[in-house]
Amino acid sequence: AQTVTQSQPEMSVQEAETVTLSCTYDTSESDYYLFWYKQPPSRQMILVIRQEAYKQQNATENRFSVNFQKAAKSFSLKISDSQLGDAAMYFCAYTPWGGSQGNLIFGKGTKLSVKP
Amino acid sequence: KAGVTQTPRYLIKTRGQQVTLSCSPISGHRSVSWYQQTPGQGLQFLFEYFSETQRNKGNFPGRFSGRQFSNSRSEMNVSTLELGDSALYLCASSLATGGLNTGELFFGEGSRLTVL
């Protein structure tokens, strides 16, 4: 079975500093997508960043970047220049390529706090 | 463009009752998925609907059901409520064009169900 593991239930970072959230996954598929979703206290979850497994280049979206290690099945999220608005639950998610559009497998999440 | 709308936002039921939750996807989105979110189990996939057809279902008992209407709006129903059904129920929509799974879901704010 495919699984996603986030080993850090909670993390804290100082404003303007950098923090890295960890995620590992298990799959026998060779083609898949990985995601980081953010769920602020208001609860509406939004996509932060997406990585296609066939792409060797790590995805980047402004202050957010990933370190994708396919062989190690690792997918960490780095947030640079942390801002107060980055405080939220962060979920790592997986879906196989060609699979059902709406069926993502989520990790249990990491609660990120940002200290002023 | 309006986002994903879920109603009601909060509701309280007693054991044995049933509940219906509603979800209006983003205009033009044809896929609607439902997730159950609890502190212990995290985000768990319930089911996905596309063009009024259920095309994927998670590992939940038959008490959980859903449907999708021709305008893509979706409802989910939980019958014979149990205490363990207390959760945040999230609806997500996606374009799902041509069957290509890009994995980007757009979430509503959720319906918080409390079962007493």
Side-chain angles (χ1 to χ4, degrees), chain B residues 21-85:
Chain B
L21 309 178
S22 179
C23 172
S24 293
I26 291 173
S27 178
H29 284 194
R30 298 167 64 189
S31 170
V32 174
S33 300
W34 290 89
Y35 288 82
Q36 181 194 65
Q37 185 176 18
T38 59
Q41 298 299 318
L43 282 149
Q44 294 186 285
F45 173 75
L46 280 157
F47 28 63
E48 180 195 5
Y49 287 87
F50 179 79
S51 293
E52 302 179 65
T53 301
Q54 185 184 90
R55 66 176 183 180
N56 207 352
K57 189 178 191 302
N59 189 24
F60 278 82
R63 300 185 297 106
F64 291 81
S65 63
R67 59 177 175 169
Q68 186 180 34
F69 303 95
S70 59
N71 61 358
S72 292
R73 190 178 71 85
S74 178
E75 290 181 348
M76 66 163 284
N77 183 277
V78 188
S79 62
T80 318
L81 285 165
E82 301 176 358
L83 295 179
D85 297 333

Side-chain angles (χ1 to χ4, degrees), chain A residues 33 35 37 39 42-47 50 89 91 95-108, chain B residues 9-10 33 35 37 40-43 45 48 55-56 88 90 94 96 100-105 107-110:
Chain A
Y33 295 91
F35 313 87
Y37 276 87
Q39 188 180 40
S42 66
R43 301 201 305 260
Q44 188 164 34
M45 197 140 48
I46 57 173
L47 177 67
R50 172 176 58 212
M89 284 290 292
F91 293 95
T95 190
W97 186 90
S100 174
Q101 178 77 14
N103 185 3
L104 300 186
I105 300 169
F106 286 90
K108 291 286 180 72
Chain B
R9 291 287 308 279
Y10 303 91
S33 300
Y35 288 82
Q37 185 176 18
Q41 298 299 318
L43 282 149
F45 173 75
E48 180 195 5
R55 66 176 183 180
N56 207 352
L88 180 66
L90 294 172
S94 62
L100 181 64
N101 182 0
T102 63
E104 181 166 6
L105 301 182
F107 285 84
E109 293 191 50

